[in-house]
Amino acid sequence: MPEVKLTQLSHGGGCGCKIAPALLQQILGEAKEKLPFANLLVGTETSDDAAVYRLNDQQAVIATTDFFMPIVDDPFDFGRIAATNALSDVYAMGGMPIMALAIVGMPINKLPVETIRAILQGGEAVCEAAGIPLAGGHSIDSTEPIYGLVAIGIVHPDRLKKNSDARAGDKLILGKGLGVGVLAAALKKGALSSEGYAQLISTTTQLNAAGSALSELNDVHALTDVTGFGLLGHLLEMCRGAGLGAEVKFCQVPVLSEALPLAQQGIGPGAIERNLASYCHEVDFAAHLETWQRRLLADAQTSGGLLVSVAPQAVDEVLAMFQRGGFEQAAVIGTMRQGAPRVAVS
């Protein structure tokens, strides 16, 4: 078969493939009533990162799935990114992954077997790094390449970290820099440097394993990860769940160094416009913020960072935990506050 670039076979890539928040809400419907299962600790009510079901007083099982189309052309890197992104939802609940299953959809008449095998090997490498088995899965012949995981984890019910338990006065900490969608868009345009590609791969294949350790801290009140809806979209989910507002200072938000000049040039995925159209009416932007800054806050992150709502007295401890885990850009970006579920950005 002739060599085919993976990103040319798909209409979107990474978490930028997500259905826009507003359209997703229409599809799912307005009512998200809690189902009558006492042991279902987390369902669909607050758009959290995974479902959680209590098995007993000591254990709850975390179940999630995540898959998408290629964000890069290298098949091994694509597999690694997709697997890292899927496992992140377990860490975002404060849990520890224990097993994964592969979700595979490939255009078998367009891709050589070696390419498909490399994608799966990338996923296997991440599962090995996480210390879990890739125990099976399901595959189909599809028109576009799709890969991801079903991720299963465990957590003590008392250490579960929801996205809805933030408290007024909490500080907000972001674990990774923004700009993944910008870098991916530049790659597709042929405008990404080798340094930019290296940074893209480095951040998207960094496991958010710090989430398991953060679950041990009582002062960590809420946890989520930033993916396809951008920082603002996932922070708004946190605000709605807690019935609180939030303030973000753009100058404190970490940004991937290679993405910054590209963002300033206006480069970014189409998901940015879809995200902003979905929730800009719930965001109060300061007048001095430039267009590229507003767009960056809505940039679709693939395998993005953890967003932590933590009591002020534990900020230094949380930042130290991130630093020990290799998250050098982790930073305090804002505060949760009393008020309507809105985000003010200055």
Side-chain angles (χ1 to χ4, degrees), residues 186-246:
L187 175 66
K188 204 160 187 176
K189 290 176 177 288
L192 188 63
S193 66
S194 58
E195 293 82 6
Y197 184 79
Q199 191 171 62
L200 172 64
I201 300 304
S202 176
T203 188
T204 55
T205 59
Q206 185 178 20
L207 287 165
N208 279 324
S212 299
L214 290 170
S215 73
E216 302 289 332
L217 301 182
N218 291 331
D219 284 330
V220 170
H221 299 142
L223 195 59
T224 192
D225 63 349
V226 178
T227 54
F229 298 157
L231 173 61
L232 291 177
H234 293 287
L235 177 53
L236 279 166
E237 289 178 339
M238 188 178 282
C239 289
R240 296 185 200 110
L244 298 171

Side-chain angles (χ1 to χ4, degrees), residues 33-150:
E33 296 180 3
K34 190 173 180 64
L35 295 175
F37 297 99
N39 287 320
L40 183 64
L41 303 182
V42 180
T44 61
E45 300 82 17
T46 60
S47 303
D48 217 325
D49 299 290
V52 183
Y53 192 90
R54 180 172 49 209
L55 299 176
N56 51 54
D57 290 342
Q58 302 295 316
Q59 293 177 313
V61 64
I62 302 170
T64 182
T65 183
D66 214 314
F67 53 89
F68 45 61
M69 291 161 288
I71 188 173
V72 295
D73 292 312
D74 183 280
F76 185 75
D77 284 343
F78 169 42
R80 293 168 65 206
I81 294 168
T84 305
N85 179 75
L87 293 180
S88 181
D89 285 338
V90 174
Y91 295 125
M93 304 304 300
M96 179 72 71
I98 58 172
M99 182 176 69
L101 305 174
I103 299 169
V104 183
M106 295 291 155
I108 58 175
N109 62 328
K110 297 178 182 179
L111 289 178
V113 170
E114 292 76 14
T115 298
I116 300 173
R117 183 183 299 125
I119 294 171
L120 272 60
Q121 288 171 337
E124 291 167 359
V126 167
C127 288
E128 182 179 356
I132 64 171
L134 185 51
H138 184 65
S139 61
I140 62 169
D141 182 4
S142 64
T143 58
E144 295 180 291
I146 297 169
Y147 182 71
L149 300 179
V150 172

